[in-house]
Amino acid sequence: EAEVAQSPRYKITEKSQAVAFWCDPISGHATLYWYRQILGQGPELLVQFQDESVVDDSQLPKDRFSAERLKGVDSTLKIQPAELGDSAMYLCASSLLALPGPYEQYFGPGTRLTVT
Amino acid sequence: GQSLEQPSEVTAVEGAIVQINCTYQTSGFYGLSWYQQHDGGAPTFLSYNALDGLEETGRFSSFLSRSDSYGYLLLQELQMKDSASYFCAVRGFLGDSSYKLIFGSGTRLLVRP
């Protein structure tokens, strides 16, 4: 069964350092999502791609976060510099389409980031 | 904007039935989804309702009332493995035929023997 791949699974970094996360969506899925999930809360969308284009990054802290999906396949999310408040689970998801309907999102295992 | 409310925690006994409620406020409604997430795991899709009524998938059912901006997830014949967090989510319109999911804060279900 096809899965969304993410790496690394765990990352510990010191504040002010740079960190990057990688995601490979399910083959053929045009829509890719990056979420941040703080313990005890629901996933919060950071950025949504349709192919290689960003369709929503309204919740992305653009002064320190950046995301790209250059060839419309895999994607990288970067934080520079990392802050203590960035400690969270970063989830990547993909879906065939971003339309209403049972176009479910498939989530990867996530990257647990700890900033010290 | 969109907002969702669901109870933070529910406890039930193995073999019982439990209902997790979700009320929402949204500008434009494009369906209500439910996701399950075990501790340390990724969210997994459970169900989707676009129209009023009950959708059944095995032991899980999901209900929607658009007039009441309300839905629920019903879990029957509870098993220990059902202990997890359950999130309701609504879609927000981004434009250009694109939508995003807005998640509630989740309901933590604890199933006791």
Side-chain angles (χ1 to χ4, degrees), chain A residues 90-107:
Chain A
Y90 289 83
L91 294 162
C92 178
S94 69
S95 65
L96 196 59
L97 297 168
L99 298 174
Y103 297 110
E104 59 179 287
Q105 294 187 16
Y106 293 84
F107 284 80

Side-chain angles (χ1 to χ4, degrees), chain A residues 31 33-35 42-46 48 56 59 93 95 98-101 103-107, chain B residues 2 4 30-35 43 45 47-48 87-94 98-104:
Chain A
T31 312
Y33 316 79
W34 283 103
Y35 290 91
E44 176 193 21
L45 182 68
L46 292 175
Q48 179 172 329
D56 183 60
Q59 300 303 310
S95 65
L99 298 174
Y103 297 110
E104 59 179 287
Q105 294 187 16
Y106 293 84
F107 284 80
Chain B
Q2 288 87 7
L4 301 100
Y30 307 100
L32 183 71
S33 301
W34 289 92
Y35 282 76
F45 173 79
S47 68
Y48 170 78
F87 297 91
C88 58
V90 294
R91 278 177 171 78
F93 183 57
L94 295 173
S98 192
Y99 299 78
K100 69 177 184 181
L101 270 184
I102 297 101
F103 285 84

Side-chain angles (χ1 to χ4, degrees), chain A residues 3 33 37 40 44 46 64 71 75-76 95 111:
Chain A
E3 295 180 341
Y33 316 79
Q37 186 176 26
E44 176 193 21
L46 292 175
R64 298 185 300 109
K71 297 183 179 179
S75 176
T76 302
S95 65
T111 297

Side-chain angles (χ1 to χ4, degrees), chain A:
Chain A
E1 183 175 308
E3 295 180 341
V4 176
Q6 286 188 251
S7 66
R9 292 292 308 276
Y10 304 91
K11 180 71 177 178
I12 300 174
T13 191
E14 294 182 348
K15 63 180 181 180
S16 78
Q17 295 298 304
V19 63
F21 314 130
W22 176 79
C23 172
D24 191 13
I26 293 172
S27 178
H29 280 194
T31 312
L32 185 147
Y33 316 79
W34 283 103
Y35 290 91
R36 177 171 57 188
Q37 186 176 26
I38 295 169
L39 196 62
Q41 297 183 20
E44 176 193 21
L45 182 68
L46 292 175
V47 61
Q48 179 172 329
F49 289 92
Q50 183 66 31
D51 299 308
E52 66 277 7
S53 300
V54 173
V55 295
D56 183 60
D57 62 359
S58 57
Q59 300 303 310
L60 190 71
K62 298 181 188 62
D63 57 335
R64 298 185 300 109
F65 286 62
S66 63
E68 61 182 16
R69 193 184 184 199
L70 291 176
K71 297 183 179 179
V73 182
D74 60 338
S75 176
T76 302
L77 178 70
K78 296 179 181 177
I79 308 174
Q80 182 174 18
E83 296 181 353
L84 294 177
D86 297 332
S87 294
M89 176 75 85
Y90 289 83
L91 294 162
C92 178
S94 69
S95 65
L96 196 59
L97 297 168
L99 298 174
Y103 297 110
E104 59 179 287
Q105 294 187 16
Y106 293 84
F107 284 80
T111 297
R112 170 72 67 186
L113 174 67
T114 302
V115 182
T116 61

Side-chain angles (χ1 to χ4, degrees), chain B residues 48-96:
Chain B
Y48 170 78
N49 294 70
L51 302 175
D52 292 352
L54 193 67
E55 296 280 345
E56 298 181 62
T57 308
R59 296 187 296 112
F60 294 3
S61 303
S62 57
F63 172 83
L64 176 66
S65 168
R66 288 174 296 171
S67 60
D68 295 323
S69 298
Y70 164 76
Y72 66 71
L73 181 69
L74 190 73
L75 296 81
Q76 303 182 72
E77 301 173 16
L78 280 173
Q79 302 176 8
M80 299 297 290
K81 67 178 182 180
D82 297 329
S83 292
S85 292
Y86 294 84
F87 297 91
C88 58
V90 294
R91 278 177 171 78
F93 183 57
L94 295 173
D96 290 331

